[in-house]
Amino acid sequence: MPSPSPADLLPFTREALDRVRAREPLVQCLTNTVVTNFTANALLALGAAPAMVDIPVEAGAFARVASGVLVNLGTVHAEQRTAMTEAAHAARAAGTPWVLDPVAIGALPVRTALAHELLALRPAVVRGNASEIIALAGAGGGGRGVDSAQDVEAAADAARELARSSGAVVAVSGAVDLVTDGERTARVANGDALLTRVTGGGCALGAVMAAYASVDGDRFATTVAAVAAYTVAAEIAVPRSAGPGSFAVSFLDALAGLTGADLDRRAELS
């Protein structure tokens, strides 16, 4: 299937924002303790409903009724690891789309093994920085903790191969985000470096992808739409900000006020 042009993707990006807000998807977040509050607030600002249900027994039951699920490996402890596996199994059985964010995998053995175990349970979307995606694809050893040691383009081939082998849409976050389903590839050249200076600036994007994955449509296109909405909101927030603290607040306001016209005017898709 040929890569879609920006003209093909942009109308869907507008429509997907409207669909998410109309449906108010319930997004289950099994995520790290550092970013829980910011992630919940980003979902609320978008128009989705967050649910931080991440303990065994409850996690699987909730994944069956959620609209989408995020599994983020940022601060995995033993009980949460059990809950994540349970939720992924349940989401797969129920047809609930779920997003895997393999935070800091590669050099760290517990989360790396867990990431590969979860990948076998067929996430709808895998989202990470370049080093994380390269490590998950088996093509490298990971980055410096949560920071990438590679740029996005260095991960392009690994991302496409990972998408083909896993069946997931793979999104690589960076200065220019890359999204691929193994055949089609799109780039989103929006956003701002201030996102990297706010705790949860990357992790919350995984939750937004889970919200978008719950709406009807091509999963590749919904992932591009999620990235575009998130990064355009970041650009809108920058002039209203004096630094990372005020940016975090302005970003939530910009996400809440984001319009189709904003996406038309600002989204840089290629």
Side-chain angles (χ1 to χ4, degrees):
M1 187 179 298
S3 295
S5 71
D8 296 328
L9 283 171
L10 191 56
F12 184 86
T13 299
R14 294 194 306 268
E15 294 166 11
L17 176 63
D18 292 339
R19 291 179 189 176
V20 168
R21 287 174 170 163
R23 293 191 178 187
E24 300 179 348
L26 177 62
V27 180
Q28 179 183 8
C29 299
L30 298 92
T31 192
N32 72 77
T33 56
V34 182
V35 307
T36 303
N37 184 69
F38 190 80
T39 299
N41 283 336
L43 286 171
L44 288 168
L46 180 68
M52 276 50 187
V53 181
D54 67 348
I55 61 174
V57 181
E58 287 185 357
F62 202 89
R64 294 184 183 92
V65 300
S67 307
V69 177
L70 167 67
V71 175
N72 174 298
L73 307 188
T75 57
V76 287
H77 51 76
E79 187 176 59
Q80 194 183 52
R81 292 199 298 272
T82 300
M84 288 174 171
T85 304
E86 179 184 296
H89 275 287
R92 181 181 182 185
T96 305
W98 67 281
V99 175
L100 173 62
D101 192 335
V103 178
I105 70 160
L108 299 172
V110 172
R111 71 188 62 227
T112 300
L114 178 61
H116 286 285
E117 179 183 350
L118 290 167
L119 184 65
L121 297 176
R122 311 288 288 186
V125 180
V126 175
R127 178 253 155 219
N129 64 36
S131 292
E132 291 160 352
I133 295 303
I134 289 170
L136 191 60
R144 188 186 65 175
V146 299
D147 297 325
S148 181
Q150 304 283 345
D151 65 25
V152 170
E153 288 305 316
D157 288 342
R160 282 188 281 267
E161 180 53 38
L162 181 61
R164 293 186 193 108
S165 63
S166 69
V169 172
V170 176
V172 189
S173 294
V176 176
D177 295 87
L178 181 147
V179 179
T180 183
D181 62 1
E183 301 299 328
R184 299 170 292 173
T185 299
R187 290 168 177 80
V188 185
N190 294 101
D192 191 88
L194 276 172
L195 272 173
T196 67
R197 298 179 64 194
V198 173
T199 300
C203 294
L205 175 55
V208 169
M209 289 178 177
Y212 270 77
S214 72
V215 304
D216 295 333
D218 179 352
R219 193 63 47 71
F220 169 76
T222 61
T223 305
V224 173
V227 174
Y230 197 85
T231 54
V232 166
E235 287 185 351
I236 292 170
V238 171
R240 307 173 186 175
S241 310
S246 54
F247 171 78
V249 175
S250 297
F251 172 70
L252 294 175
D253 289 343
L255 197 57
L258 188 68
T259 66
D262 292 326
L263 294 170
D264 282 342
R265 185 168 58 254
R266 290 176 172 268
E268 297 184 33
L269 309 180
S270 63

